[in-house]
Amino acid sequence: MDLAPEVRRALRGGHAFEAGDAVVCAVSGGPDSMALLHVLARLSGELGCRLVAAHVHHGFRPAESDAEAETVQAFAASLGVPFVMARVDAPGFARETGMNAQAAARELRYRFLRETAEARGAKAIALAHHLDDQAETVLMNLLSGASLTGLAGMAPVRTENGIKLVRPFLRISKKEILAYVKAWNIPHHADSSNDSRAYLRNRIRLDVMPLLLKEQPKLPEALGRLAEIAGEEDRFLDGLAQSRLEALARTEDGRTSLDRRAFLAEPVALQRRMVKLILNYLAGDPRFSDYTVIESIRTAIERSSPPSLSMDAGRGIRFLRRYDRLVWERRSADGGMPPVFPYAYVFDPGDGEIAIPGVGFIRAEYVDLAAEGGEAPHPRTSRTAWPAAWTGRHTAAFDADRLALPLTVRSRRDGDRLQPFGMAGSKKVSRLLMDLKIDPDRRDAVPVVTDAAGRLLWLAGVRRSRHAPVDGGTKRALVLRFEPERFSDGNRMDG
């Protein structure tokens, strides 16, 4: 029995190693990892890689763990492979974090492997997971209601934080590994914790798999094929979702925004993946995904109401729907939209401009219509009759002689009402902002411009009042221009 040909194909097919690469081989002392170290040592010359054997003494079963460490060190030395070891307190870490023993040991083990790879300049970490492990993983994921990603199981090669995690044995069965160990007389230890039914994986291996194997003797191979097929399709769909996100979304400074209509135009399968990719990116963890959270967000986008909502997505991430604008943001001390507190500034238009921190600028200009030799257009005439510089919702012109100065620029207050230009009666500012679909998070930032008589003249960037119109009798106009501040998501204060 020789595993080298299959390992060689796996490594070359997955482009796992490059000539000259340093490779950390995780070695526990069990038959699987000892066989992997042996095979890689045999192939290291032709592959051109430099091996390092890394072992973790977890602190469980002290006497057994000491013996395992000694065996791994001696075996690595016999192969001419450098050996590194870490002693960790996995039992204490489990108590501190609330993890089960296996999860705690895994967390500390991978942490040490990554640290060793970085210290040695290694581009890859080789792991001894085999076909039976893959079958157990797929079955466990299936029982938990996994998506296609879960059915893909463990990837033969996956890059995490710039380091490849390589599993050359994923097409090789436990039976073949044990035959190789016996044929090459490789020393190894049996981990007694593998016989404990306290862990789900052990129960799957010891109780469930034997029953299923009676019905399907080739079950590991069948589940392995399922994992390969699911993995290829999962990566294809992820790539497609990523390309659509790049075309449709805007991401900057811990915030991703997207148009709801464009999102809903995509197939449901891509909608879920787009949400997952956004959450993974903002969480900084490619494995962070929760179907319940993803589907809750997707259905909240799909429903017509409520048009405005906020949801906690976990990991400090908040999802916001503001009518047809979708936002995912990572909360941090300095992240997200800067809070806008109630503000009020007295403004003399003769000063030229006023700055409102976190909101923008209002600039003022007096225009002497008599000096320009013409009459002012009547406000009810065609828009083409207005000077081009006076048009647009971010500009408003007033009859300067009908205003009581100075002006005040402030945030909105309860009870504010606007008498809209061209309309009879008045309307609550809160209702007007809602009807115009101004983002609820930004409504308090909309500047309210009043004169000294307390008349509400203008919701800057939104709507002007009917007070002090420029008409045929106007001699001097006051033109106000609002320049909203842009936030990290590229949107302006006024949406």
Side-chain angles (χ1 to χ4, degrees), residues 171-486:
R171 290 186 176 180
I172 299 173
S173 69
K174 178 77 170 185
K175 182 179 179 180
E176 292 172 302
I177 292 172
L178 292 176
Y180 180 85
V181 166
K182 183 177 180 181
W184 289 85
N185 196 29
I186 296 173
H188 62 278
H189 291 261
D191 186 341
S192 60
S193 67
N194 289 335
D195 296 327
S196 171
R197 284 176 168 77
Y199 308 111
L200 175 60
R201 180 178 288 276
N202 289 0
R203 295 195 297 274
I204 293 289
R205 186 180 66 254
L206 298 173
D207 301 326
V208 178
M209 289 295 289
L211 291 175
L212 294 176
L213 285 167
K214 291 179 181 179
E215 301 297 328
Q216 167 55 287
K218 296 289 187 180
L219 182 62
E221 290 84 352
L223 292 176
R225 285 195 302 274
L226 172 61
E228 287 189 27
I229 294 169
E232 290 293 339
E233 295 185 0
D234 186 54
R235 286 186 287 275
F236 170 77
L237 289 172
D238 263 356
L240 189 57
Q242 183 65 50
S243 67
R244 296 306 297 145
L245 267 181
E246 291 172 358
L248 301 175
R250 182 187 182 102
T251 298
E252 189 177 5
D253 297 334
R255 187 180 177 109
T256 297
S257 58
L258 183 62
D259 182 80
R260 174 176 176 266
R261 293 159 297 187
F263 177 87
L264 292 177
E266 299 296 329
V268 171
L270 290 188
Q271 291 176 15
R272 291 194 183 102
R273 285 176 181 271
M274 289 164 70
V275 173
K276 184 185 78 167
L277 289 173
I278 291 170
L279 295 178
N280 290 353
Y281 167 75
L282 293 176
D285 181 358
R287 296 170 297 178
F288 171 57
S289 60
D290 183 308
Y291 175 81
T292 303
V293 173
I294 291 170
E295 190 64 5
S296 295
I297 292 174
R298 193 193 69 79
T299 54
I301 296 170
E302 187 178 53
R303 289 193 297 265
S304 58
S305 65
S308 180
L309 59 85
S310 174
M311 293 174 58
D312 182 3
R315 301 285 188 93
I317 300 168
R318 181 175 65 155
F319 166 67
L320 305 169
R321 174 182 167 183
R322 297 298 183 246
Y323 302 100
D324 282 329
R325 191 163 67 89
L326 311 176
V327 176
W328 290 260
E329 61 182 8
R330 184 174 58 241
R331 296 181 180 179
S332 60
D334 57 355
M337 193 187 81
V340 178
F341 300 99
Y343 62 88
Y345 299 91
V346 175
F347 175 40
D348 182 348
D351 293 338
E353 69 175 42
I354 184 171
I356 306 105
V359 175
F361 292 85
I362 290 183
R363 307 186 192 281
E365 177 188 5
Y366 283 108
V367 178
D368 189 340
L369 297 177
E372 292 188 357
E375 292 187 356
H378 191 277
R380 297 185 185 276
T381 61
S382 169
R383 299 284 289 182
T384 58
W386 291 79
W390 295 12
T391 62
R393 66 189 179 106
H394 291 92
T395 301
F398 300 89
D399 187 321
D401 296 322
R402 300 182 192 179
L403 297 176
L405 300 180
L407 304 180
T408 296
V409 181
R410 61 171 174 80
S411 53
R412 67 186 177 120
R413 298 171 182 167
D414 291 342
D416 275 344
R417 301 186 73 90
L418 178 77
Q419 296 177 328
F421 185 80
M423 294 175 59
S426 64
K427 193 167 187 176
K428 282 187 175 181
V429 167
S430 57
R431 171 54 63 180
L432 181 63
L433 295 175
M434 184 182 299
D435 291 345
L436 293 175
K437 298 184 178 181
I438 302 299
D439 190 330
D441 285 347
R442 294 173 177 170
R443 290 174 190 168
D444 287 337
V446 174
V448 175
V449 181
T450 65
D451 70 357
R455 295 178 299 178
L456 200 161
L457 303 177
W458 188 32
L459 294 179
V462 179
R463 186 69 56 84
R464 69 153 289 162
S465 76
R466 62 172 179 254
H467 298 303
V470 175
D471 56 25
T474 301
K475 303 301 181 185
R476 192 170 59 118
L478 173 63
V479 181
L480 301 179
R481 296 183 180 85
F482 176 44
E483 296 183 11
E485 181 173 310
R486 285 190 180 273

Side-chain angles (χ1 to χ4, degrees), residues 115-133:
E115 290 171 353
T116 301
E118 291 170 1
R120 299 276 176 154
K123 301 290 183 62
I125 297 171
L127 305 165
H129 299 111
H130 48 73
L131 179 61
D132 296 65
D133 292 327

